[in-house]
Amino acid sequence: MMTLLLIVLPLLGALSLFVMKGDSIKKTAFAISLVTFAMAIGAWINFDASNLSQYAFKQDWIPSLGISFSVNLDGLSLLMVLLTTFLTPLIILSTFDREYKNPLAFYALILTMEMALIGVFVTQDAFLFYIFWELALIPIYFISLLWGGENARPITFKFFLYTLAGSLLMLFAIIYLYLQTPEHSFAIEAFHKVILAPETQSWIFWMLFIAFAIKIPVFPFHTWQPSTYHMNSTPGTMLLSGIMLKMGIFGLMRWLLPVVPQGCIDNADYVVILATIGIVYASAIAIVQKDFKKLLAYSSIAHVGLITAGVFSFTDNGLRGASMQMLAHGVNVVGLFFVADILFNRTKTFEMKDMGGIRSKAPWFATLFLIILLGSVALPLTNGFVGEFLLLLGVYEYSNVIAAFCGLTIILGAVYMLMSYQKTMLGETSAATKDFTDLTFNEKAVLIPIAIVIIATGLYPKPLIDLVEPSVQYILSFINI
Amino acid sequence: MNLALLIPVLPLIGFIINGLFGKNLSKSSVGLIGSGAILGAFICTVVVFVSFVSGGSAATTVKAFDWLVIGDTTLSFSFFVDQLSLIMMSLVTGVGFLIHVYSVGYMHDDENYNRFFAYLNLFVFFMLLLVMGDNYLVLFTGWEGVGFCSYLLIGFWYKTPDYNDAAKKAFIMNRIGDLGFILGLFVMFSEFGSLQFTEVFADAAQYSEGNPAILGITILLFIGATGKSAQLPLFTWLPDAMAGPTPVSALIHAATMVTAGIYLIVRSHILFNLAPETMCIIAWVGAITALVAATIAVVQNDIKKVLAYSTVSQLGMIFIALGVGAYTSSMFHLLTHAFFKALLFLGAGSVIHAMSGEQDIRKMGGLKKALPLTHITFVIGCIAIAGIPPFSGFFSKDEMLAHIFNDSPALWVVASATSALTAFYMFRLYFLTFSNGFRGTDHQKHHLHESPSSMTTPLVVLAVLAAFGGVLGLPLELFGLEHGHFLQNFLGLEDSSFDLSHETEIFLMLGAVALAVASWLLAKRIYKEKQTLPAENVTGIQKLFVGKYFLDEVYEKVIIRPFQLLGNALYIFIEERVIDPVVNAFGTLSVKKGNFVKQLQQGNTGFYIFGIVAGVVLILVANLIWFR
Amino acid sequence: MNVLILISCLGLLSLFVGLSDSLRRYSLQVIVAGVLALFVLNFFNWNQENTRYYHDMVNFDHYAVAFTGVILFVAALVFMLSKDQFNFDEKGTGDYYGIMAFTVAGAIMMVSYSNLAMLFIGIEALSVSLYTLAGSKKTSHESNEAALKYFILGAFATGFLLFGITMIYGATGSFNLAEIAAYVNGSKDLPYLFYAGLLMLMVGLLFKVSAAPFHFWAPDVYEGSPNIVTSFMATVVKIAAFAAFYRLFSTCFGGASEQWEMILSAVVVLTLVIGNFSALAQSNLKRLLAYSGIANAGFMLLAIVALKGDAASALFYYSIAYAAASLGAFAVLILLSEEGQTLSIDSLRGLGKKNPVVAVLFCIVLLSMAGIPPTAGFFAKYFIISTAIANGHLAVSLIAILTSLVGIYYYFKIIATLFSAPVEGSENTIAEKKSYILILCAVIIIAAGILPELIISLLR
Amino acid sequence: MNEITSTIQVVPLEYYIFLSVTLFSIGVLGMLIRRNAIIAFMSIELMLNAVNLLMVAFSAFRGDAKGQVFVFFIMVVAAAEVAIGLAILTMIHHNRGSVDINALNKLKW
Amino acid sequence: MLEYVFYILSAISIACALLMVFAKNPIHSVLFLIGTFFSIAGHFVILNAHFLAIVQIIVYTGAIMVLFLYVIMLLNLNKESESTKPNIVKVAAVVSAGLLFLVMLASFKESIAIPLPEGTDGIGSVKNLGKVLFSEYLLPFEASSVLFLSAMAGSVLLAKKK
């Protein structure tokens, strides 16, 4: 029931906004997202990680087609739900000092998005998964289109159609799998039972993988991403980068590995190589970016490339690392994009060469940025390290040469992140930054929780790892037959 | 033993207080908190040390909390208290405390006073993690953490772009090494299934010499060490790191952080002993680094740069010793070097303080009178580093040289040459700074003054240590006790066998001393008596030295530029000309196709009839072909 | 059966109402009330024991009753939408309603026939009425042109249809579906005559459902006809045509499926490609809907390709989803045209600001057309694709899925326009308008999306 | 009445098919080649007649009256269509003064 | 003997059909079409469909073609004013119609072996046809009245002037 409530609450919240006026809209939206977060925490408190189906809710929906509204929480789902519900209030809070036109629609869309995202993470039915998956795309389409910056329309369309193309392939694969299930059911257990020939698994694998890969995005399916992140309003970018791309990785772990294990094993080499190329490629491009937001976009590609490689190492370390890094990346990237937003808000530019010296003007800002940056470059005792270490270890167990290449992210990540920090924060102030003001209360209220989470989960990740451990083992049990 | 937990925690508390609330505290309380935290840690260390020794010197593990789950094991955040870590802890907290005290005076006028102490405390925290960790991952945590603090402190004066570049360079070069380190950990984990020191070493005992996995682990760990301890090819960051405040140079870039590589190898010596090839590489990398850095130091004119290259050179020497398996002497030299190099840096800081920030020794001279205390301590430091008895450097260096000779005379030649050069450039530095007349501006001359007592006290303490630190390594036979010396017996490391005769030993000792004294005299002749100043334009091989072997330029041309070009090329040619257009092509093609298909709709009924007829014909033909 | 008789009577009644000067203004009420009453009456035909009437001319089985219900309901909606739409001359309204009622009668024949003669008469009753309706705006050149094009091409296609029927008669000696089916299933080697006849018959039907390459009439006729007639054609007529198509092929020709499957698959692909890509390049909303109708036809044909399994319920669901979405779109179109707006997509700019309710409802409609869950449009496409895959038509299903991406593009282009800033200087005057039909359609779309089981279980 | 059987005996069904297809094709040709709507209508009538002929032939060869009944319906429909078609034509001629089917291409693309 | 009748009738119908298509004047086309209809009525006769033959003449020539003539006269279309299509289109038209002809022929030429019917004498008679039509085919018959009604109302609506 709790799981259902987690889905329904944001939706009801979104609807309730329609009776609100003025400032109370965003406050209500924030309150609702906080309550959702509290519920997720509540779910966590009484959680028994070893039980893979908790707070389950199941209601037949289209029984004749074996479709049911079946949701529950396991460790992995709960982790993602925690991420989503933690970030959404922050994303909403990040807008408090900004003016967005038509706030009613804006916050309603954000809450709807939260609903769809939670749905994606908790569903146990492939059909429902697909529905939430698509449903998540609609709010972000509108957010991109209506609140996006320059060239919002063509860029939104590219992003939208690109991801949809992948989704449609996924739909095809899901239907095919459904038809192969013995009892004609969309339930994930039924999918687990499907036995397919290796060749069939292979093409199903690619269909599903491309869908996820576009969302993640894995090189070379990434080109929608930098422009979309760059053009979008900050909440849009945060939603996309912080939570939405996790859908792809989550999809890999929940819907790809256990369902077509042989296909995964047969094609893992290609995927890992693509991911590795993506890491180096995106890092190299990030290094030469002059625009801060684009730099973040490319850095994100590099990070998720590593996560993908980790997932496809099929090792417990790789999957644990992927889970941890999903959380870490979500938190960090939201923080970083908010930093970009603050920079843009004060300087009206994303060009790093026009900035500098902000540290002396805004010590709070500089320090919090630094902490988030450390998470991003995976310094030990920050959240990024936990994930990255486990991921690299996982990849190493898969192939030591590839691990060496993936490991370049340790160096290259430091190069571009420190470069951006230096260009924006250090040095003498410029014309654009001479009147830079330090963080407002609301801005602090966003960045400080992020910083705390970065350090707290870096210092003591064990509860989280314990949380996902049974799920990871369960996923692996399909691969290691 | 749980007191050990407090040792790293105290600096952390200091960091948090100073970092979060330092802005609102008075400078004196900031200094008090910062230094007090380290002092507390030092006291705790001493207490732990004493109880450790009195408790029969049994290594113990103190667990803080479970940290990570890797593979099938849970890695805990635990501290390991044994002889080695205790020595390092004492060094870190002891020297660290002195430098904190020194900083109270040195940084007194800085607007970011609290930030400085916060960073220093954080550094000490990470350094303690590094030396106290009971597994490689905690060690790595400290390892990365000190690198990060070094970044913060080098770029402490962040308004100057050069300093920021230096900080970034330091961090990134460290990270290159760290990649090696972390890969080494992976190999280790997959080989031993653990990263716990005790477990790894216990397992390693079953491996025979020359095992490829061990070889891989040791080489990768050594790559990590080259980054942190500034060895070729990753040493160029250290001289640039002098951009940071001088106490930082003393603490991080002389006494503690840069010795982390040595600590790592000594800590893992059981593995390294199984990999003779790696040892050979270490020795030669150390040798080349030592010589290269020494030659560069000879022509440097920046007081701190001379010391920096000297540090690189000395570390190189230690690596030679490590490479020949002389772990105890390495540790010995590490300690004495920490004393005298910290002393020298702090002395240099005192000089710079007096000179209002001037660092060029050509513009100094004759400071003997103005800075008497600094002068005395600096001389002690110079003599110690030059290896002239009876100061500490003599003992440690001599011991290393003897071991090196024992293993490879060729290395010994290099090491001795380095040693001679060390004496030369140190006294060059000394004479140019303190002797003869003052060469600076009138304003500077007017301003010259001895530093406050908060700065000189640490100098004196360090001078005493630099002078008498050699006691640690006095052969116990002199006192009629058993074989070896105090440090050796205490550490109980598995050094390589040592079979030189006493005669050879004494001969080597005398030779080294003679060389050092000769170098001293040569420096005195050139720089004191002839009053030669380093030329503006250098010629011949000196160009190479002044240009620092053009390593920075080579890196720039061979690695950095090509990589940037690659990034640009990927961005412009692959991203924007291939991948993106391919994706966009689907869109544009669709629209084009739409416009084409649209043209079919001519509006002309006759044409539509054609369409229908054509359709029927096609269907019937298809039917005829397929199903006839 | 009673429904069929009564709808014809209703048409007659409308004609009479149209004649009387005093009753004329009630003609709309009469027809709407009549059709709704029939819709209710139709429910009683469900699960009747004897479904075959008049020497097995018509068979009101579940399939027929279900589709009759849909046709009546959609027709009722179209009639409701038609207020003030037939105001070309004062006297004609009742006549138009009468003719439309006859069209519905033809449509009901098309969904319930069990004899080719009834199919033929049904198609012709439908077509002949539509020729008139297409040209009903007599002073408009577009309407004239639409009527003539529709007539010439329609009659031409009838020729092929008849040729096909003749051939099948020649081969089987019967017009009765059951007998033909028995013949098909009974003999191993069907004569070639039969196959060719089958294909000619298929051509005739493909024309009616506007499948490529027999679709050319559709965009022109849709655009030229009065809006209300277009909405009628796009919904009632199309559903009837598909129902007839499916009924024929599933009852009679399933046994010979390997013969036409490939050809029909090729037609599906061609239809999807032409429909979607042409729609992509449209700037006129009505014409875009016409092409989107062609694309939808491609999808519905896929159900016929699949034929087995749940294809009937898939087609049924699709019909409802498609009709609801189309009607919603036409409701907006009619709102626009009532205000004298051009029907270009750009005239929708700023609607989101001026009239958010209509904009959001239209948005729901468009989402359904694009096939975004959880709207009815998604399930419609899903059921069809699922059935097609289940019957092994993987390649054509994949193409259908991918071409629907193109569809998504142009539907979302409209959505984007709805919410983009209005053109400078132009006053969008539909600000105050409401359309209950639009609301109803949106509700149906959402309800059918949330509870699809209710609909698909009907024909299982 | 035994003439019928003899007709069937002397003229094979194929001939009727041939004749019917020929007439049908001529009708199609007329549709394709002429622009005059009246001629197009007549071509359609010709096509329908070709179908009628064939239908009657089948009916005769099968000895089954249903075919002939169907022809009856075809005639009915043809008559109805002609009525509508000519009405449309009249209307268009009234509006535009031409019955050239290709001149009607306002609606396109 | 009968086969010659068949050939002659066939020749007439094909020739008249062709002339109908190619005649410049619509009036001539109408007349040629009537010729075709007559010859088809002849075919009906030799196929023993006497009733249909009569209906053919009455409905087609008597009603439909007269309607055509009437419209042509009414609209003054009896001029040879039709702008001809370009030659390329004509060639294309002939080619496609020819192709259709060939393909249909190829598809249909294999007839089926229909067993010779027995007792088929009276099938084309009014009595027999009436029986079939008003028993078995009553519903289509009634339904076609709907069609007629619709066509009637439609024609009136469209053709009447304001």
Side-chain angles (χ1 to χ4, degrees), chain B residues 33-224:
Chain B
I33 292 165
S35 314
I38 310 299
L39 181 62
F42 180 64
I43 292 167
C44 292
T45 310
V46 170
V47 173
V48 170
F49 207 138
V50 169
S51 66
F52 176 79
V53 174
S54 60
S57 303
T60 41
T61 300
V62 185
K63 181 172 155 183
F65 53 86
D66 279 339
W67 191 26
L68 275 181
V69 183
I70 54 172
D72 304 327
T73 57
T74 302
L75 212 56
S76 63
F77 211 99
S78 305
F79 300 126
F80 189 60
V81 179
D82 72 342
Q83 293 89 335
L84 186 59
S85 62
L86 276 170
I87 290 204
M88 289 304 288
M89 280 150 67
S90 315
L91 173 72
V92 171
T93 50
V95 175
F97 170 64
L98 292 176
I99 290 169
H100 272 72
V101 173
Y102 178 88
S103 305
V104 171
Y106 189 83
M107 297 300 288
H108 199 265
D109 299 328
D110 200 279
E111 54 174 337
N112 290 314
Y113 191 72
N114 68 308
R115 212 152 52 76
F116 184 77
F117 274 96
Y119 289 171
L120 275 190
N121 279 355
L122 186 63
F123 169 79
V124 173
F125 164 69
F126 277 121
M127 194 67 209
L128 286 169
L129 287 191
L130 197 164
V131 299
M132 291 174 74
D134 96 313
N135 58 56
Y136 279 98
L137 208 58
V138 178
L139 195 162
F140 184 74
T141 303
W143 183 273
E144 286 268 276
V146 291
F148 166 64
C149 291
S150 147
Y151 165 80
L152 287 176
L153 286 162
I154 296 169
F156 183 73
W157 289 308
Y158 58 84
K159 289 185 182 170
T160 315
D162 284 353
Y163 292 3
N164 295 325
D165 286 340
K168 194 172 70 185
K169 183 176 176 182
F171 192 73
I172 289 166
M173 288 200 126
N174 267 306
R175 276 237 149 173
I176 296 174
D178 293 350
L179 175 57
F181 193 142
I182 205 165
L183 289 174
L185 295 191
F186 294 159
V187 185
M188 189 187 288
F189 184 76
S190 62
E191 196 65 29
F192 300 114
S194 171
L195 294 176
Q196 199 90 16
F197 291 147
T198 45
E199 293 174 13
V200 169
F201 298 148
D203 276 5
Q206 290 148 22
Y207 283 71
S208 60
E209 207 172 85
N211 182 295
I214 304 279
L215 181 67
I217 295 170
T218 50
I219 285 185
L220 288 165
L221 290 184
F222 174 61
I223 290 174

Side-chain angles (χ1 to χ4, degrees), chain B residues 390-437:
Chain B
F391 289 174
S392 60
F394 162 75
F395 294 99
S396 54
K397 197 181 266 183
D398 175 63
E399 202 179 305
M400 288 204 306
L401 284 173
H403 272 92
I404 295 166
F405 185 82
N406 178 36
D407 192 79
S408 154
L411 284 170
W412 180 82
V413 171
V414 177
S416 299
T418 310
S419 180
L421 281 170
T422 307
F424 176 75
Y425 64 69
M426 281 316 299
F427 282 106
R428 168 180 175 271
L429 177 67
Y430 165 72
F431 288 122
L432 282 172
T433 313
F434 289 97
S435 304
N436 301 324

Side-chain angles (χ1 to χ4, degrees), chain C residues 182-431:
Chain C
Y183 174 82
V184 170
N185 297 328
S187 53
K188 276 240 159 61
D189 270 328
L190 293 169
Y192 205 69
L193 195 69
F194 175 80
Y195 289 138
L198 191 162
L199 291 175
M200 298 283 272
L201 179 56
M202 189 170 90
V203 167
L205 290 168
L206 286 175
F207 174 86
K208 293 292 169 202
V209 302
S210 70
F214 314 105
H215 68 287
F216 289 110
W217 61 276
D220 293 2
V221 173
Y222 277 36
E223 192 191 349
S225 304
N227 292 334
I228 190 71
V229 175
T230 312
S231 60
F232 192 65
M233 286 185 206
T235 52
V236 174
V237 175
K238 193 156 237 170
I239 293 171
F242 268 107
F245 202 153
Y246 181 82
R247 191 176 179 88
L248 180 65
F249 274 65
S250 66
T251 343
C252 299
F253 303 141
S257 61
E258 74 275 14
Q259 201 73 24
W260 48 267
E261 226 171 52
M262 284 286 277
I263 289 169
L264 200 58
S265 298
V267 169
V268 167
V269 171
L270 194 64
T271 308
L272 285 167
V273 167
I274 286 185
N276 278 313
F277 281 98
S278 301
L280 192 65
Q282 296 304 317
S283 58
N284 181 311
L285 195 55
K286 203 169 167 192
R287 214 169 164 77
L288 187 145
L289 286 174
Y291 281 111
S292 107
I294 294 172
N296 276 302
F299 248 99
M300 288 160 97
L301 276 180
L302 200 51
I304 296 166
V305 173
L307 206 69
K308 290 189 274 289
D310 293 335
S313 35
L315 187 68
F316 182 62
Y317 189 90
Y318 199 103
S319 303
I320 292 173
Y322 168 74
S326 292
L327 267 185
F330 277 104
V332 174
L333 209 70
I334 284 171
L335 282 185
L336 277 180
S337 65
E338 273 178 355
E339 296 303 322
Q341 296 274 339
T342 56
L343 296 180
S344 76
I345 294 173
D346 275 341
S347 64
L348 290 169
R349 288 182 72 127
L351 191 65
K353 223 180 183 64
K354 294 271 173 57
N355 193 341
V357 175
V358 167
V360 167
L361 291 173
F362 190 32
C363 180
I364 292 173
V365 166
L366 288 166
L367 286 177
S368 177
M369 285 184 154
I372 302 294
T375 58
F378 166 73
F379 286 95
K381 286 199 165 71
Y382 164 76
F383 290 137
I384 299 246
I385 293 284
S386 176
T387 323
I389 295 177
N391 290 312
H393 303 280
L394 291 185
V396 64
S397 304
L398 192 59
I399 292 170
I401 283 188
L402 290 179
T403 51
S404 72
L405 193 63
V406 179
I408 288 170
Y409 174 67
Y410 55 77
Y411 296 124
F412 272 81
K413 208 169 69 177
I414 304 177
I415 293 179
T417 313
L418 278 179
F419 294 102
S420 61
V423 194
E424 287 296 316
S426 84
E427 249 331 285
N428 205 323
T429 47
I430 66 172

Side-chain angles (χ1 to χ4, degrees), chain A residues 158 162 219-220 222-223 226 280-281 283-285 287-290 294 298 316-317 320 357 359-360 363-364 370 374 377-381 385-386 388-390 392-393 396-397 400 403-404 407-412 414-415 418-419 421-422 425-428 458-462 465-466 469, chain B residues 20 23 65-75 77 115 119 125-126 129 137 140-142 144-145 148 151-152 155 158-162 164-165 167-168 171-172 175-179 182-183 185-190 195 563-568 570-571 574-576 579-580 583-584:
Chain A
K158 181 174 171 181
Y162 205 164
F219 175 88
H222 64 276
T223 57
V280 179
Y281 176 88
S283 302
I285 289 180
I287 286 173
V288 298
Q289 289 301 315
K290 297 176 177 64
K294 277 230 161 125
Y298 279 104
D316 44 6
N317 290 325
R320 275 177 210 140
R359 181 168 197 165
S360 49
W364 269 101
L370 187 65
L374 293 180
V377 301
L379 199 78
L381 300 190
F385 174 72
V386 179
E388 206 157 295
F389 179 80
L390 290 170
L392 284 172
L393 183 53
Y396 175 83
E397 287 166 277
N400 43 18
L408 287 176
T409 182
I410 293 180
I411 301 166
L412 299 175
V415 172
L418 290 183
M419 185 192 76
Y421 191 75
Q422 182 183 348
M425 295 286 130
L426 308 178
E428 292 288 349
L459 200 58
Y460 193 45
K462 182 113 188 323
I465 298 181
D466 288 343
E469 186 63 22
Chain B
L20 289 180
K23 268 271 180 256
F65 53 86
D66 279 339
W67 191 26
L68 275 181
V69 183
I70 54 172
D72 304 327
T73 57
T74 302
L75 212 56
F77 211 99
R115 212 152 52 76
Y119 289 171
F125 164 69
F126 277 121
L129 287 191
L137 208 58
F140 184 74
T141 303
E144 286 268 276
F148 166 64
Y151 165 80
L152 287 176
Y158 58 84
K159 289 185 182 170
T160 315
D162 284 353
N164 295 325
D165 286 340
K168 194 172 70 185
F171 192 73
I172 289 166
R175 276 237 149 173
I176 296 174
D178 293 350
L179 175 57
I182 205 165
L183 289 174
L185 295 191
F186 294 159
V187 185
M188 189 187 288
F189 184 76
S190 62
L195 294 176
F563 199 81
Q564 281 177 342
L565 283 176
L566 174 73
N568 274 316
L570 287 177
Y571 186 56
I574 308 293
E575 182 83 352
E576 293 195 326
I579 299 182
D580 210 21
V583 174
N584 292 339

Side-chain angles (χ1 to χ4, degrees), chain B residues 238-562:
Chain B
L238 184 58
D240 288 5
M242 296 304 128
T246 308
V248 172
S249 311
L251 178 61
I252 301 181
H253 305 122
T256 55
M257 185 185 92
V258 290
T259 63
I262 295 153
Y263 168 75
L264 174 66
I265 293 176
V266 174
R267 175 58 85 194
S268 324
H269 70 276
I270 293 175
L271 299 176
F272 280 85
N273 274 344
L274 294 171
E277 295 89 346
T278 315
M279 295 297 265
C280 184
I281 292 170
I282 293 174
W284 279 102
V285 167
I288 297 167
T289 311
L291 197 58
V292 163
T295 51
I296 298 173
V298 168
V299 295
Q300 286 296 318
N301 296 321
D302 181 313
I303 185 168
K304 283 178 73 181
K305 286 268 167 83
V306 175
L307 293 175
Y309 281 106
S310 159
T311 307
V312 177
S313 173
Q314 292 296 309
L315 292 170
M317 294 271 282
I318 302 179
F319 272 91
I320 307 176
L322 288 174
V324 301
Y327 303 113
T328 312
S329 359
S330 303
M331 281 307 293
F332 187 20
H333 195 63
L334 186 154
L335 283 175
T336 57
H337 175 255
F339 298 148
F340 56 67
K341 191 50 72 58
L343 168 65
L344 286 168
F345 264 116
L346 294 185
S350 180
V351 168
I352 295 165
H353 195 67
M355 293 286 296
S356 315
E358 180 61 59
Q359 300 195 3
D360 191 335
I361 49 177
R362 286 170 300 188
K363 298 193 179 129
M364 298 179 183
L367 298 179
K368 206 186 285 185
K369 280 156 256 149
L371 305 169
L373 206 51
T374 309
H375 171 239
I376 299 284
T377 52
F378 203 90
V379 169
I380 294 172
C382 282
I383 297 174
I385 194 173
I388 293 170
F391 289 174
S392 60
F394 162 75
F395 294 99
S396 54
K397 197 181 266 183
D398 175 63
E399 202 179 305
M400 288 204 306
L401 284 173
H403 272 92
I404 295 166
F405 185 82
N406 178 36
D407 192 79
S408 154
L411 284 170
W412 180 82
V413 171
V414 177
S416 299
T418 310
S419 180
L421 281 170
T422 307
F424 176 75
Y425 64 69
M426 281 316 299
F427 282 106
R428 168 180 175 271
L429 177 67
Y430 165 72
F431 288 122
L432 282 172
T433 313
F434 289 97
S435 304
N436 301 324
F438 187 67
R439 294 184 294 273
T441 60
D442 284 347
H443 173 75
Q444 282 171 332
K445 185 163 187 171
H446 183 72
H447 191 67
L448 284 178
H449 59 87
E450 181 56 283
S451 303
S453 60
S454 64
M455 285 167 69
T456 48
T457 315
L459 283 179
V460 172
V461 176
L462 282 170
V464 170
L465 285 171
F468 303 113
V471 176
L472 286 175
L474 271 183
L476 292 172
E477 289 163 64
L478 288 184
F479 307 104
L481 296 170
E482 75 259 59
H483 185 71
H485 57 61
F486 168 71
L487 197 61
Q488 190 174 11
N489 293 346
F490 178 69
L491 282 173
L493 299 169
E494 292 151 33
D495 286 340
S496 58
S497 58
F498 181 68
D499 48 11
L500 284 184
S501 65
H502 269 290
E503 291 72 29
T504 329
E505 244 184 292
I506 289 167
F507 171 76
L508 288 176
M509 191 194 301
L510 290 177
V513 174
L515 264 178
V517 173
S519 301
W520 178 2
L521 294 176
L522 182 65
K524 187 173 182 183
R525 170 120 189 99
I526 297 174
Y527 296 104
K528 185 169 187 199
E529 291 162 11
K530 284 194 176 175
Q531 302 202 3
T532 323
L533 276 182
E536 287 296 327
N537 297 317
V538 291
T539 50
I541 193 154
Q542 279 200 323
K543 258 188 183 161
L544 187 66
F545 300 157
V546 172
K548 304 157 193 168
Y549 291 79
F550 303 106
L551 271 177
D552 278 326
E553 286 76 5
V554 170
Y555 289 163
E556 172 80 16
K557 288 223 165 62
V558 176
I559 298 169
I560 300 171
R561 288 300 304 154

